[in-house]
Amino acid sequence: MAESDGGEAEGPSPGTRAGGGASPEPRPQLTKSRTISGSASASILAADRAGGGGGSGGGSGAGVRDSILVRRSSTAPLPPPPASAAPASPAPRRLTVAVDDPSYAGPNGGVLDRDWCYPSFLGPHASRPRPPRQQQQTPTRADRPSANPTVPPRVAVSQREEEKSLASVVKRSALLEERRPLPPPLPPVRAPRFDLSPYLPLLLAVTFTSSTLAIWQWVKVMGLQEKIRSCSGGNAGDREDTEKVFWIDKDHGSAFINSGNWNLAPPSTIFALAVPIFLFKYIDQLRRRQTNSMRARGSEEEVPLKKRIAYKVDVFFSGHPYAKLLALLLATIILIASGGIALYVVSGSGFLEALWLSWTFVADSGNHADQVGLGPRFVSVSISSGGMLVFATMLGLVSDAISEKVDSWRKGKSEVIEINHILILGWSDKLGSLLKQLAIANKSIGGGVVVVLAERDKEEMEMDIAKLEFDFMGTSVICRSGSPLILADLKKVSVSKARAIIVLASDENADQSDARALRVVLSLTGVKEGLRGHIVVEMSDLDNEPLVKLVGGELIETVVAHDVIGRLMIQCALQPGLAQIWEDILGFENAEFYIKRWPELDGMRFGDVLISFPDAVPCGVKVASRDGKILMNPDDEYVLREGDEVLVIAEDDDTYAPAPLPEVNKGFLPNIPTPPKYPEKILFCGWRRDIHDMIMVLEAFLAPGSELWMFNEVPEKEREFKLTDGGLDICGLTNIKLVHKEGNAVIRRHLENLPLETFDSILILADESVEDSIVHSDSRSLATLLLIRDIQSKRLPFKELKSPHRYNGFCHSAWIREMQHASDKSIIISEILDSRTRNLVSVSKISDYVLSNELVSMALAMVAEDKQINRVLEELFAEEGNEMCIRSAEFYLYEQEELSFFDIMVRAREREEIVIGYRLANTDQAIINPEHKSEIRKWSLDDVFVVISKGD
């Protein structure tokens, strides 16, 4: 029940008579509202009943009623008026919204009209239109019986009677004695019709003029032709005919006949007759368009004609590529035609001659110098001026067209027409090393084509590639600007004809980068022409890899950069020097993996196949009977079948071939068992987002009782939450124990609180907080490396090295020598992102490093060249299965024993290992796939061999 402050109503209507005999006039619109209470309703009702008759009683009752204002009224018929009653005092000034009694609901189902009170200070209120309805016959005040005008001070009624009385008072029309009939609904507004009155006089005038001119020309021509025929057919000696001919020659139209232009009369007549028709059609079309436009606009604001014309011209020129040329051509034709007509009028030359002169004036502005007379000179100057404007406009359009074409070439908007090329989508800091590896891989075929599509300017991309200062050895690099998410841009680079597509991770965080890679894969799968090659996607987070493979299917090969680098760092920390081995194998500069079928090897044992290639090292078989599964390090008794392919490590795919079996001196294998694993103590400096995966790999590689110290700025409670959220079961770790230390790795006093001299391996990770900035991350890693080495050199006792000649080339100070001595006591692996930082670390020989971007680029290039290699890398990086190891020479030979490399390969098969290279004791560089494998040489126990071994 809504309440508001009420006010006194206005007095009774002037049209209300005391003794009502006629129906009262409609009362004025109410301006204020009052509310009656339940107790006062009975008094008001009694007063109304008492004043039902004429006289003062009726006036009193009317006054009381006039003081009552109701917010709502029902459209149903009103009930009969109640019995007379004495008038009562005015009701309290409260507003009450009463609910209509449903018993009085009319045919409309009791629908209520929500008539709101209109304030008087806003002026008269225009009632809303309502549909007309039949008025109800309500008895007038004169028909009601009179009653005693006196009203008792208080009428006692029951609560139910009070409610009924209140509803009755509300139901009665206290404000309006009868409802006004509503006007019928207004018809819909129709658009104004097109007014032809302004055009009718013009149309009639043009029609009359054209018809008159056509008839006059036709009559004139017919008369002249008749005279010519009569003159040519008569006797030349006849005087009368001679006089006629003379008269014709002297006639006003003789010039017209002699000039021969009378042949233009029929076309001009047809043109004059056609003008009204075309004008009528144009006006009719204009009328239709304007009528449709009026209907569409309705009551909208009228746009000025100037703006509409400018808008139409703008739409036309922007929607049609050749609109400018067409407009220029039309302007030239109009200029020549109008100039020819003007010259024909002002000069005595023929019409065709005037048109030709007009064209010469347009084409060459200097041709008008020979004109004589004021009229011809004025017209020729005007035509020449217009011609200069036309040709200036034409030169501008041609210049703009050439500039736009050159600009499109410069911005990389043209289409690439290539086949069997490699397409790179995206731009990152790995692109330089990736292009380098692809160029080396294509060197054997004279170079290839690499297309780069990125959301950068083409000139900027070409400048950045030129800064690499690398010889691409015949490989062409084509840059195009566009988005890999747009199919039109993908078609522009011939995506359906590429033999391999590489999707680079962006410089955003891991989730955003992988989300973008997923959208790119969806765009690639939506290419209607299909894809000829496979897709290599660089992922940032291992958890997002299944989703991308689910979308792309068999076409997708993923390389998870963080996971690959994390596993390599762990393997290199456990086996010093393995980073350089991986750089040689993953890159195309030395030896790499190749898979090829050799039919002549069918039926041969793998033990014999192993020594059948003098320029390659076989290390596996792609089994055709197992749907192409690659079996690494198989048994010697495995026999190659039809369809099987051999996995080898070679310099290039065309540098090796099988040869006859060489003579091998197997000898005796030293009986030295593999040493057991001992507990190790490892330190992680920094926090990576996939550190939980690295801990799982360490759990598989380390012996029980090992310790993993984690030193970073992440709070300990937050570390446990992140590790658990990543899927690591901290309580389920059996081989390693986690030790948490909090601090900053670039602050010396924080590092001095750690027992740095006791760790077997230290891994300096690219911290998650700065991994987006390569320079900042590498600077932090380098600073941490130098601080740790300096602290270790101060704590460890200094001794002369056993082989000081190893450092003669680069030891320039005692400080460097001390840090090198400290590096012999513990292994430090630094995650380096920029190749320029590599030189700073390698020159001092104070750390065994991992070049992250370089290794990931190598892996991407290798998988792009052959998607099957990804299965090999996944197995070698995994914590289970075959792995790459560095073994001492004492496991395969005796001191100063003379053997060939083939002999050592055969001896290693007894340990189920494949020897792929070696590193001599007096060198720092390992040799993978050595040449002259049959050559016998003397070996030392200080030498080491690189082998592929089955996991424990």
Side-chain angles (χ1 to χ4, degrees), residues 669-691:
L669 182 70
N671 188 14
I672 299 178
T674 302
K677 293 183 178 180
Y678 295 99
E680 296 190 28
K681 193 174 181 180
I682 299 177
L683 172 65
F684 278 1
C685 288
W687 183 274
R688 286 166 51 109
R689 59 176 174 271
D690 61 344
I691 198 170

Side-chain angles (χ1 to χ4, degrees), residues 781-835:
S781 299
L782 184 59
T784 304
L785 170 63
L786 296 176
L787 288 175
I788 291 176
R789 280 304 188 206
D790 185 58
I791 295 174
Q792 286 181 339
S793 63
K794 297 298 189 294
R795 294 180 180 179
L796 292 174
F798 180 79
K799 297 188 213 178
E800 290 293 333
L801 299 177
K802 294 182 180 180
S803 303
H805 59 275
R806 291 179 55 193
Y807 307 100
N808 288 338
F810 46 81
C811 288
H812 306 292
S813 65
W815 177 70
I816 294 292
R817 180 182 293 274
E818 291 177 2
M819 288 195 294
Q820 291 168 354
H821 175 66
S823 65
D824 290 343
K825 301 298 181 180
S826 63
I827 303 170
I828 295 184
I829 305 295
S830 302
E831 184 177 3
I832 303 299
L833 304 180
D834 193 352
S835 59

Side-chain angles (χ1 to χ4, degrees), residues 108-276:
N108 58 354
V111 179
L112 305 179
D113 294 333
R114 303 305 193 250
D115 293 333
W116 51 282
C117 297
Y118 188 81
S120 60
F121 59 84
L122 294 179
H125 169 59
S127 61
R128 59 182 179 180
R130 293 189 178 88
R133 60 187 297 266
Q134 186 176 1
Q135 296 182 359
Q136 301 292 336
Q137 297 295 333
T138 306
T140 60
R141 194 175 290 119
D143 299 333
R144 300 173 185 170
S146 60
N148 187 9
T150 61
V151 181
R154 189 176 185 87
V155 181
V157 293
S158 63
Q159 184 67 22
R160 181 61 179 170
E161 292 178 352
E162 291 180 358
E163 295 176 357
K164 290 183 177 179
S165 301
L166 177 61
S168 175
V169 173
V170 171
K171 281 295 181 178
R172 298 188 60 186
S173 177
L175 305 179
L176 301 176
E177 292 297 337
E178 59 183 7
R179 303 183 64 87
R180 300 177 184 176
L182 300 177
L186 297 176
V189 179
R190 300 184 61 182
R193 301 188 62 182
F194 185 81
D195 188 10
L196 286 174
S197 56
Y199 300 95
L200 284 177
L202 176 62
L203 180 62
L204 293 176
V206 172
T207 304
F208 177 77
T209 304
S210 301
S211 302
T212 304
L213 178 62
I215 294 172
W216 178 80
Q217 286 182 346
W218 186 260
V219 171
K220 188 74 173 177
V221 170
M222 294 300 294
L224 293 176
Q225 288 180 349
E226 182 66 25
K227 289 180 180 181
I228 292 173
R229 285 196 299 269
S230 62
C231 292
S232 61
N235 188 4
D238 193 349
R239 182 179 179 83
E240 182 179 359
D241 293 341
T242 304
E243 291 179 355
K244 289 182 179 179
V245 172
F246 178 78
W247 178 83
I248 291 174
D249 292 338
K250 299 298 182 179
D251 191 71
H252 178 70
S254 60
F256 178 77
I257 297 173
N258 295 332
S259 63
N261 292 336
W262 57 272
N263 292 324
L264 296 176
S268 63
T269 303
I270 296 174
F271 175 76
L273 293 176
V275 165

Side-chain angles (χ1 to χ4, degrees), residues 228-505:
I228 292 173
R229 285 196 299 269
S230 62
C231 292
S232 61
N235 188 4
D238 193 349
R239 182 179 179 83
E240 182 179 359
D241 293 341
T242 304
E243 291 179 355
K244 289 182 179 179
V245 172
F246 178 78
W247 178 83
I248 291 174
D249 292 338
K250 299 298 182 179
D251 191 71
H252 178 70
S254 60
F256 178 77
I257 297 173
N258 295 332
S259 63
N261 292 336
W262 57 272
N263 292 324
L264 296 176
S268 63
T269 303
I270 296 174
F271 175 76
L273 293 176
V275 165
I277 299 175
F278 284 108
L279 182 61
F280 177 78
K281 288 291 185 181
Y282 172 74
I283 294 176
D284 182 67
Q285 189 69 17
L286 181 63
R287 178 185 61 81
R288 293 183 180 181
R289 290 185 178 181
Q290 187 169 356
T291 302
N292 295 336
S293 177
M294 288 179 179
R295 291 177 180 176
R297 291 196 302 267
S299 60
E300 295 180 1
E301 183 181 356
E302 185 71 17
V303 181
L305 179 62
K306 181 179 180 181
K307 290 186 177 180
R308 292 203 304 269
I309 294 176
Y311 172 72
K312 294 295 183 182
V313 172
D314 185 23
V315 171
F316 178 75
F317 277 94
S318 61
H320 300 79
Y322 300 104
K324 296 179 181 179
L325 294 178
L326 293 177
L328 180 62
L329 178 62
L330 180 61
T332 305
I333 294 174
I334 293 175
L335 178 62
I336 294 174
S338 60
I341 295 173
L343 286 175
Y344 174 73
V345 173
V346 300
S347 64
S349 60
F351 184 71
L352 294 179
E353 184 68 20
L355 288 178
W356 174 254
L357 288 176
S358 177
W359 158 248
T360 58
F361 295 158
V362 171
D364 188 359
S365 59
N367 289 336
H368 68 279
D370 298 335
Q371 295 296 311
V372 179
L374 180 61
R377 287 181 177 178
F378 177 77
V379 173
S380 60
V381 168
S382 301
I383 297 174
S384 299
S385 301
M388 287 188 290
L389 292 177
V390 167
F391 275 90
T393 306
M394 183 180 65
L395 291 177
L397 293 179
V398 173
S399 177
D400 291 344
I402 296 176
S403 299
E404 289 178 1
K405 194 62 178 178
V406 173
D407 187 62
S408 65
W409 293 339
R410 180 174 55 84
K411 293 184 177 180
K413 297 180 180 180
S414 59
E415 184 178 0
V416 175
I417 304 176
E418 295 288 347
I419 300 177
N420 293 329
H421 58 284
I422 295 180
L423 177 60
I424 301 176
L425 302 179
W427 186 277
S428 69
D429 49 358
K430 307 178 186 66
L431 183 64
S433 55
L434 177 60
L435 292 176
K436 178 180 178 181
Q437 295 299 323
L438 292 176
I440 297 174
N442 295 323
K443 180 181 178 181
S444 59
I445 59 176
V449 178
V450 179
V451 181
V452 181
L453 177 65
E455 298 181 35
R456 297 186 61 192
D457 188 72
K458 177 176 177 289
E459 292 183 342
E460 294 181 1
M461 292 189 287
E462 291 177 346
M463 291 178 61
D464 291 343
I465 293 175
K467 292 178 182 178
L468 298 176
E469 298 180 356
F470 173 73
D471 183 14
F472 288 99
M473 294 170 286
T475 298
S476 301
V477 181
I478 303 174
C479 299
R480 287 294 180 267
S481 179
S483 174
L485 304 177
I486 302 176
L487 291 178
D489 292 343
L490 292 176
K491 293 180 181 179
K492 182 173 62 177
V493 294
S494 301
V495 64
S496 59
K497 301 177 182 179
R499 62 185 174 93
I501 303 172
I502 302 175
V503 181
L504 295 179

